[in-house]
Structure formats: structure tokens, C-alpha cells
């Protein structure tokens, strides 16, 4: 069976950056199971997997525009410590939900602390990076009507209700 829209796909993968550092991997755990065509994985990887079948192995380099986007300096802001009401200790790396420029909720990460200035970054941690995947297709099956309706896979390796 070939990977196409509304197929439940199981993959083993290792994700590295251009320096060869492992960012994420399914090694030692269950394969990643996703609903193809539902935007459950980054677009560049999903495109590369289209038409593949169980047993196929591939190396995929995904450019930022097909992954987490280019890094945007506009998403970096300096806030006053007083805006973090109720948080006693602020540390670099802490993440918070905040309103984005368009009013939507986004996650921001504290990048730097300088006195009362808190520099936050709304970019995804992998924004602006080429992502390199080593992938093996483990299984491809038809997704159930419920999985398609919910937009994700249920059960082993997928979402559990």
C-alpha cells in the first residue's frame, strides 16, 4: 500500500541538524504514527513520503520554509519583568503562552535576562534550520473513518482518547 492522503503511516526516523547533531529520534521507542495529509508532520517530510510504502528508506533534507519557517527577528521582544506576574523566578529557556502580533496565542521562550528586561523569542526552536531526516517506512494502512474525522491516528503510537 502506498502512502497517500488518509493513510495511517508508521515511520522510524532520526532527525539531525546540518552539524549532524541528533535533534529527535524514534530509536529505542515506538515508531511515529501519523495521518498522512492532515498536517500532523512538517510539510516537507510529508511531501517526501508521498507514494512510498512499507520497507522504503529515505534521506530527506527539509528546508526551513517547508519545516518551521524562517527565523523572524520580529518575533523577538523585550518585556519588563513585571509582565510575568505570579512567576517568582524567571530563567532562560522557560516558555510561556502569549498573544502574538495577530492576536493568536503563541509560545514564547525566554532567551535572555538583563536586569528587569526579559528578552523573549516567539520563533519555533527549529525555525530557520534545515532539518535532515533518516526515515524508514514501517507500515501503511487505511485510516479509520473516525481517525480521518478527528484528523489524527488513534491507538498504538497515535492519539489515545
Amino acid at each position: 500500500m502506498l502512502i497517500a492522503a488518509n493513510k495511517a503511516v508508521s515511520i522510524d526516523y532520526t532527525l539531525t541538524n546540518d552539524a549532524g547533531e541528533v535533534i529527535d529520534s524514534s530509536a529505542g521507542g515506538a515508531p511515529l504514527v501519523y495521518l498522512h495529509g492532515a498536517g500532523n508532520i512538517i510539510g516537507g517530510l510529508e511531501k517526501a513520503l508521498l507514494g512510498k510504502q512499507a520497507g522504503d528508506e529515505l534521506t530527506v533534507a527539509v528546508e526551513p520554509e517547508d519545516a518551521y519557517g524562517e527565523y523572524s527577528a520580529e518575533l523577538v521582544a523585550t518585556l519588563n519583568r513585571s509582565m510575568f506576574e505570579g512567576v517568582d523566578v524567571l530563567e532562560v529557556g522557560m516558555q510561556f503562552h502569549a498573544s502574538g502580533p495577530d492576536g493568536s496565542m503563541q509560545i514564547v521562550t525566554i532567551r535572555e535576562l538583563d536586569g528587569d528586561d526579559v528578552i523573549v523569542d516567539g520563533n519555533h526552536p527549529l525555525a530557520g534550520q534545515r532539518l535532515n531526516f533518516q526515515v524508514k517506512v514501517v507500515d501503511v494502512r487505511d485510516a479509520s473513518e473516525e481517525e480521518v474525522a478527528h484528523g489524527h491516528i488513534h491507538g498504538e503510537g497515535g492519539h489515545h482518547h
Side-chain angles (χ1 to χ4, degrees):
M1 180 175 291
L2 299 181
I3 295 176
N6 297 328
K7 300 293 183 194
V9 181
S10 301
I11 59 172
D12 282 326
Y13 71 94
T14 297
L15 167 60
T16 58
N17 60 19
D18 279 346
E21 300 164 328
V22 175
I23 298 169
D24 193 14
S25 177
S26 65
L32 170 70
V33 183
Y34 75 95
L35 177 63
H36 197 84
N40 295 163
I41 63 172
I42 61 171
L45 181 57
E46 193 169 57
K47 284 180 208 161
L49 288 166
L50 184 66
K52 302 295 187 246
Q53 60 189 349
D56 286 351
E57 295 186 40
L58 57 155
T59 299
V60 182
V62 180
E63 296 300 323
E65 60 269 18
D66 291 324
Y68 295 102
E70 296 294 342
Y71 187 86
S72 172
E74 294 173 5
L75 296 177
V76 177
T78 301
L79 307 174
N80 189 283
R81 187 177 289 271
S82 65
M83 294 190 70
F84 296 87
E85 193 176 304
V87 180
D88 294 335
V89 179
L90 294 176
E91 296 177 7
V92 171
M94 290 177 100
Q95 294 186 318
F96 297 89
H97 285 90
S99 293
D102 61 358
S104 66
M105 290 304 287
Q106 70 182 58
I107 294 176
V108 297
T109 304
I110 295 178
R111 293 285 176 228
E112 189 178 331
L113 296 166
D114 184 13
D116 283 338
D117 288 341
V118 180
I119 295 87
V120 297
D121 188 343
N123 287 286
H124 186 281
L126 299 177
Q129 293 187 46
R130 179 185 302 113
L131 303 178
N132 303 293
F133 291 89
Q134 285 291 127
V135 181
K136 180 176 183 181
V137 180
V138 176
D139 187 47
V140 181
R141 67 167 172 83
D142 289 323
S144 71
E145 287 182 29
E146 183 181 41
E147 289 170 330
V148 172
H150 288 194
H152 58 251
I153 299 304
H154 298 159
E156 188 68 29
H159 179 79
H160 299 271
H161 285 275

